[in-house]
Amino acid sequence: MTQISGLRSWTLLGSAAALGFVLIGQPAQAHGLAHGGLGYGFLHPITGVDHLLLLIGVGAAASYVSAQLLLWGLAGAVLGGLAGAMGFTMPLAEVLAALAISAVSLLVLLSHREGRSPGLAFAGGLVAAAVALHGALHGGEAPADASALGWWAGALAASVLVSGGSFLLMRRLPLVWTARLALLLAVLGGALALVPLTAQAG
């Protein structure tokens, strides 16, 4: 049984590394100005690899640590979105957004290793900060015309659907599968962080 478990872990790591190299080899997908209404807003968080992985990670962390992390994530999304819409920017935002995926995933990995969850204030603050960073990118991309309200509604609906769906799915699976997913997300977050760096170097 131990050999089978070890084989699965190595297979997971190998798959993560392979996918990471594929992502690194792709052209950098810089965040740009969004347009359209409800439908475009709905697609925006789930067609961006970094946003999608973070949403899945938040759902996984909430399933492992506490369902309240979903509320912390929502608060971070609102605050980050407002900050981005008001023009807030930060250097290396793309790199930090990718590393935020790894940071949220580490909550699960540390909880799994220690056999207990971190304090809710710490976990919630980390999740809120990670989501706020992505929310700020969304806010900077959101349309500024009459379609903005529909766009934001669509983006919020998609975010809740992905994170909530991930949460419900992982709650039905053994904890070890959540830990394996977190390991995969942590590796992919690190790989994605290299994409804008390699693009700048090129």
Side-chain angles (χ1 to χ4, degrees):
M1 182 65 71
T2 303
Q3 290 180 341
I4 295 176
S5 178
L7 179 61
R8 287 176 177 171
S9 297
W10 281 109
T11 301
L12 178 64
L13 283 173
S15 300
L19 184 53
F21 284 122
V22 170
L23 291 172
I24 292 172
Q26 298 302 312
Q29 296 182 354
H31 293 269
L33 185 63
H35 58 87
L38 183 67
Y40 286 98
F42 185 87
L43 291 175
H44 190 77
I46 59 179
T47 54
V49 175
D50 56 347
H51 295 316
L52 179 61
L53 293 181
L54 178 70
L55 293 172
I56 294 172
V58 169
S63 73
Y64 203 105
V65 178
S66 170
Q68 294 184 42
L69 293 186
L70 294 174
L71 297 178
W72 283 84
L74 180 60
V78 172
L79 293 175
L82 288 173
M86 291 188 295
F88 173 79
T89 59
M90 60 190 317
L92 298 176
E94 299 283 345
V95 175
L96 294 175
L99 292 178
I101 301 166
S102 299
V104 169
S105 302
L106 286 176
L107 282 177
V108 177
L109 295 176
L110 290 175
S111 299
H112 189 68
R113 189 186 70 177
E114 300 293 331
R116 59 185 177 86
S117 299
L120 183 59
F122 172 78
L126 179 59
V127 167
V131 176
L133 183 57
H134 282 252
L137 289 174
H138 283 311
E141 300 158 358
D145 54 21
S147 67
L149 184 59
W151 189 92
W152 277 111
L156 179 61
S159 299
V160 170
L161 181 64
V162 174
S163 288
S166 300
F167 167 78
L168 293 175
L169 175 61
M170 300 315 295
R171 289 279 285 219
R172 299 177 64 88
L173 296 174
L175 292 178
V176 67
W177 285 103
T178 307
R180 289 171 178 168
L181 173 62
L183 178 59
L184 176 62
L185 292 174
V187 173
L188 292 179
L192 282 172
L194 296 177
V195 174
L197 293 177
T198 54
Q200 291 178 1

